């Protein structure tokens, strides 16, 4: 069984981004970039399935700049077998990414596509669902548990607003990872060295026949309204007094 | 312009978030039609028919829609969406699961989690965990949007008289089937629409710590929330998580107990009207957003607050 894992290069989750002075976009000069944390969980899940003997090949894919090779190498060090990079320096929207992934799914014919549920830059939470629409595959989004049940089916437990929902999906299927699906491992040094020799092929959206022209224009970015600094109260009595007589919320 | 809203409900009751989406639709302007897709959900359509501002309620009542599976719902919505300028749904897990699938079927680029309507094609939305607000303009023919419920007031629920129209279209498949669900049963108000939220973090120490917090929650008539750390530690179930990847809340009063205040948590609650933080660490980042901070041992302070109510 073959798994395709799609990953995104994003600003590291520890970086606090700020708008550029001209407010046209956020300032990403000289900031640390990493694999999107949800994508890393997706890679880990694929590696665990391979370790259980349920999967024999993991293909990791990214669509983005040349530097996304770094994140693909990280995924290879974590246990993916080979990598594909669709190179573009242009702004990418979820639909454009899903269209590229659709072409790659047609070529690679994976039994399972694993992705993060959202990227922590755009916070869109769209690409997996869009790829599911374009391929016609069933989708198990926001997954906190994934079991391959052997009869060409997967059981996915999803984190939903009221609790948990379980779905049975017939493969091929798209599964997007939530935080509690697993805890990703760290790549070992020997595996990082080995990953440098694993195959990494590149193409472009043009070669895939996909138009990635944006549909949505970013007009400006700004900081959210800041909260006025509050006060520290000395004790419970003062807190209760403030809540009753100043804020009037209880 | 004409706007289609996908109602969120559990087949018997309408979720309040749908009314926030109605407000967003009113801010866009145009005729408003609401789709209720589900099973034995005619009561939900009746409820919506009384909401002023809604011209028509479409009712697709069929067992294939009972669990709102995106595989069945998306082709239905895409079919109905023809001729509409906007398709909206609350940015809940149901809306987030469904709407991108609808958008891709229509070959439209969806816009997630809008927090303000600037004009019919221009919206504000939080990015980077709410650290930055982006203003975006769509050039697509149909704007497919999910709506951040806390950013829009709930529309008035009574006084309207919309017509209800049956939709007979059935989309079914067998590649995705519903197996089961575990939903939290609670007498407390719903987390995302409660007036008061009391949330606990890693500092609660255990599930027992949360039991102590429950007494305060119930005395205040509040909903209970939690940080990701508390959920990951297994103190409480995932549906209580407030934050970037959990629920977004904006109550009148948010009391954060034993929560340090990671930016991912702040992303989910910093629009609350009044924030109280109780933490033993005076340097905890939560105090930077709190209106009232109380430094000390929560195991002494929480019962003391409860005693004063």
């Amino acid at each position: 069984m073959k798994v395709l894992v799609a990953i995104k290069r994003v600003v590291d989750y520890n970086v606090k981004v700020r708008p550029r002075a001209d407010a046209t976009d956020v300032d990403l000069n000289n900031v640390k970039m990493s694999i999107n944390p949800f994508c890393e969980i997706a890679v880990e899940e694929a590696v665990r399935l391979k370790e259980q003997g349920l999967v024999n090949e993991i293909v990791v894919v990214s669509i983005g700049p040349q530097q996304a090779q770094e994140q693909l190498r990280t995924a290879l060090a974590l246990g993916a077998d080979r990598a594909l990079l669709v190179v573009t320096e242009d702004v990418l929207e979820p639909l454009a990414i899903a269209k590229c992934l659709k072409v790659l799914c047609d070529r690679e014919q994976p039994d399972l596509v694993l992705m993060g549920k959202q990227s922590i830059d755009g916070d869109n939470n769209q690409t997996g669902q869009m790829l599911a629409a374009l391929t016609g595959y069933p989708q198990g989004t926001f997954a906190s548990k994934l079991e391959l049940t052997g009869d060409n089916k997967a059981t996915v437990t999803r984190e939903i607003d009221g609790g948990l929902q379980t779905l049975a999906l017939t493969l091929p299927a798209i599964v997007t990872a939530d935080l509690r699906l697993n805890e990703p491992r760290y790549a070992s040094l020997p595996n990082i060295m080995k990953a440098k020799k694993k195959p990494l092929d590149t193409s472009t959206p043009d070669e895939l026949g996909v138009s990635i022209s944006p549909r949505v224009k970013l007009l400006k970015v700004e900081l959210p309204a800041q909260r006025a600094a509050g006060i520290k109260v000395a004790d419970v009595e003062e807190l209760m007094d403030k809540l009753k007589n100043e804020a009037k919320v209880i | 312009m004409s706007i289609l809203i996908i109602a969120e409900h559990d087949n018997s009751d309408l979720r309040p978030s749908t009314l926030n989406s109605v407000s967003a639709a009113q801010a866009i302007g145009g005729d408003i039609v609401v789709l209720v897709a589900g099973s034995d959900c005619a009561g939900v359509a009746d409820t919506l028919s009384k909401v002023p501002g809604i011209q028509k309620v479409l009712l697709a009542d069929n067992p294939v829609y009972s669990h709102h599976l995106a595989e069945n719902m998306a082709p239905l919505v895409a079919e109905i969406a023809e001729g509409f300028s906007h398709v909206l749904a609350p940015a809940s897990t149901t809306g987030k699961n469904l709407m991108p699938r609808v958008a891709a079927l229509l070959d439209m680029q969806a816009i997630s989690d809008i927090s303000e309507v600037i004009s019919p094609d221009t919206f504000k939305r939080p990015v980077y965990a709410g650290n930055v607000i982006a203003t975006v303009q769509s050039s697509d023919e149909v704007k497919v949007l999910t709506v951040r419920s806390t950013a829009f007031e709930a529309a008035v629920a009574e006084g309207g008289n919309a017509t209800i129209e049956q939709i007979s279209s059935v989309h079914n498949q067998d590649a995705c089937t519903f197996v089961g669900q575990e939903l939290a049963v609670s007498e407390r108000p719903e987390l995302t629409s409660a007036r008061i939220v009391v949330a606990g973090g890693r500092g609660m120490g255990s599930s027992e710590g949360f039991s102590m917090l429950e007494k305060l929650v119930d005395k205040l008539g509040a909903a209970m929330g939690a940080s990701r750390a508390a959920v990951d530690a297994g103190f409480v179930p995932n549906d209580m998580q407030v934050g970037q990847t959990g629920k977004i809340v904006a109550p009148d009063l948010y009391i954060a107990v034993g929560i340090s205040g990671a930016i991912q948590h702040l992303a989910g609650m910093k629009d609350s009207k009044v924030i109280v933080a109780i933490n033993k660490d005076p340097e905890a980042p939560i105090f930077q957003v709190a209106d009232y901070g109380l430094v000390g041992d929560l195991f002494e302070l929480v019962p003391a607050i409860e005693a004063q109510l």
Side-chain angles (χ1 to χ4, degrees):
Chain A
M1 185 161 136
K2 182 177 188 175
V3 178
L4 190 130
V5 188
I7 66 168
K8 185 174 181 186
R9 171 185 168 92
V10 298
V11 60
D12 188 83
Y13 78 103
N14 286 312
V15 174
K16 190 163 186 200
V17 297
R18 301 190 63 83
R20 277 186 215 149
D22 64 2
T24 52
D25 204 340
V26 294
D27 189 354
L28 294 183
N29 281 323
N30 302 316
V31 301
K32 186 182 176 201
M33 303 296 279
S34 298
I35 296 191
N36 177 48
F38 292 100
C39 302
E40 199 173 1
I41 294 170
V43 173
E44 174 69 30
E45 194 67 14
V47 173
R48 290 185 189 193
L49 292 171
K50 193 175 175 195
E51 286 169 346
Q52 290 164 39
L54 298 167
V55 163
N56 48 31
E57 188 183 21
I58 302 171
V59 182
V60 62
V61 180
S62 192
I63 296 137
Q66 279 292 358
Q67 299 93 309
Q69 290 199 17
E70 296 162 19
Q71 282 66 43
L72 288 170
R73 289 289 173 203
T74 304
L76 292 170
L78 291 169
D81 296 296
R82 62 188 171 89
L84 302 171
L85 176 60
V86 181
V87 183
T88 174
E89 299 294 329
D90 294 343
V91 173
L92 287 162
E93 292 174 350
L95 183 61
I97 298 172
K99 286 179 177 177
C100 291
L101 291 174
K102 159 77 166 79
V103 176
L104 296 175
C105 281
D106 289 345
R107 288 185 187 171
E108 295 283 341
Q109 297 286 316
D111 301 283
L112 178 67
V113 180
L114 279 166
M115 312 172 64
K117 75 163 181 178
Q118 71 188 68
S119 61
I120 60 165
D121 48 4
D123 282 335
N124 286 302
N125 193 336
Q126 295 179 1
T127 307
Q129 296 88 312
M130 288 181 153
L131 178 60
L134 299 177
T135 54
Y137 295 168
Q139 67 190 50
T141 53
F142 330 142
S144 62
K145 195 173 170 196
L146 167 64
E147 282 179 290
L148 297 179
T149 46
D151 46 356
N152 202 36
K153 280 191 186 290
T155 305
V156 179
T157 303
R158 308 177 54 231
E159 297 206 356
I160 60 170
D161 285 337
L164 299 170
Q165 180 189 62
T166 305
L167 300 176
L169 307 180
T170 303
L171 303 180
I174 314 280
V175 174
T176 73
D178 213 319
L179 285 171
R180 280 173 281 275
L181 184 60
N182 60 51
E183 278 188 40
R185 70 195 68 191
Y186 294 96
S188 69
L189 189 60
N191 284 342
I192 292 171
M193 300 312 289
K194 267 189 246 166
K196 292 182 178 169
K197 299 203 177 86
K198 290 184 179 176
L200 191 159
D201 293 327
T202 61
S203 63
T204 64
D206 271 353
E207 282 168 27
L208 300 182
V210 174
S211 159
I212 58 165
S213 342
R215 317 283 195 85
V216 174
K217 195 166 149 193
L218 181 61
L219 298 181
K220 71 166 176 179
V221 295
E222 61 198 311
L223 291 174
Q226 296 297 310
R227 290 189 77 93
I231 56 161
K232 291 246 173 68
V233 291
D235 51 30
V236 168
E237 284 70 29
E238 191 187 350
L239 174 65
M240 299 310 280
D241 176 62
K242 294 282 187 195
L243 291 180
K244 279 178 189 150
N245 301 317
E246 191 175 83
K248 295 187 171 69
V249 284
I250 57 171
Chain B
M1 282 182 302
S2 52
I3 302 165
L4 176 68
I5 301 175
I6 315 306
E8 177 139 343
H9 61 90
D10 63 1
N11 294 318
S12 51
D13 294 310
L14 181 72
R15 293 242 187 276
S17 55
T18 308
L19 296 174
N20 304 97
S21 290
V22 171
S23 286
Q26 286 166 337
I28 294 166
D31 289 343
I32 300 176
V33 175
V34 180
L35 170 67
V36 178
S39 178
D40 288 329
C41 55
V44 177
D46 286 340
T47 303
L48 278 162
S49 70
K50 299 186 182 78
V51 176
I54 295 177
Q55 274 74 39
K56 189 159 67 175
V57 178
L58 305 176
L59 174 60
D61 195 336
N62 191 293
V64 303
Y65 303 125
S66 60
H67 299 292
H68 309 114
L69 298 179
E71 292 78 357
N72 295 346
M73 291 276 291
L76 173 74
V77 175
E79 180 182 280
I80 295 170
E82 201 170 323
F84 283 92
S85 57
H86 298 73
V87 186
L88 274 62
S92 59
T93 49
T94 309
K96 289 173 183 171
N97 186 48
L98 171 66
M99 297 300 268
R101 189 160 182 137
V102 171
L105 290 178
L106 295 170
D107 193 28
M108 302 291 156
Q109 175 54 58
I111 299 178
S112 300
D113 223 9
I114 62 161
S115 56
E116 195 179 331
V117 174
I118 305 294
S119 73
D121 66 0
T122 305
F123 311 94
K124 286 195 181 188
R125 61 178 299 266
V127 293
Y128 293 95
N131 284 310
V132 178
I133 307 297
T135 304
V136 295
Q137 183 176 36
S138 169
S139 59
D140 273 337
E141 192 183 331
V142 184
K143 279 77 175 164
V144 180
L145 312 170
T146 59
V147 177
R148 175 168 284 217
S149 293
T150 55
F152 296 88
E153 295 286 331
V156 178
E158 294 289 336
N161 188 18
T163 54
I164 299 177
E165 187 180 309
Q166 305 281 335
I167 298 282
S168 55
S169 181
V170 175
H171 294 271
N172 199 11
Q173 43 75 48
D174 55 12
C176 174
T177 54
F178 176 81
V179 177
Q181 57 191 13
E182 296 167 40
L183 297 184
V185 184
S186 173
E187 298 296 310
R188 300 193 183 110
E190 196 204 359
L191 187 53
T192 53
S193 54
R195 201 181 69 80
I196 302 178
V197 172
V198 179
R202 198 198 302 272
M204 302 309 302
S206 63
S207 303
E208 291 72 42
F210 270 89
S211 307
M212 177 197 71
L213 202 59
E214 282 185 338
K215 293 187 189 131
L216 176 62
V217 169
D218 289 334
K219 219 156 189 181
L220 286 166
M224 190 151 92
S227 69
R228 180 191 161 193
V231 175
D232 283 356
F235 301 164
V236 288
N238 69 287
D239 56 280
M240 287 190 190
Q241 184 176 328
V242 172
Q244 181 188 17
T245 66
K247 296 205 173 70
I248 310 292
V249 302
D252 290 345
L253 174 60
Y254 188 91
I255 304 180
V257 185
I259 292 177
S260 62
I263 54 170
Q264 290 81 4
H265 184 76
L266 302 184
M269 46 66 78
K270 67 182 175 184
D271 292 329
S272 305
K273 291 199 181 71
V274 175
I275 297 174
V276 172
I278 299 171
N279 204 300
K280 66 174 187 231
D281 174 10
E283 303 301 320
I286 190 79
F287 287 119
Q288 290 164 19
V289 300
D291 299 284
Y292 305 112
L294 186 53
V295 179
D297 179 1
L298 65 93
F299 293 99
E300 288 168 18
L301 296 171
V302 169
I305 293 170
E306 191 204 323
Q308 294 225 3
L309 288 165

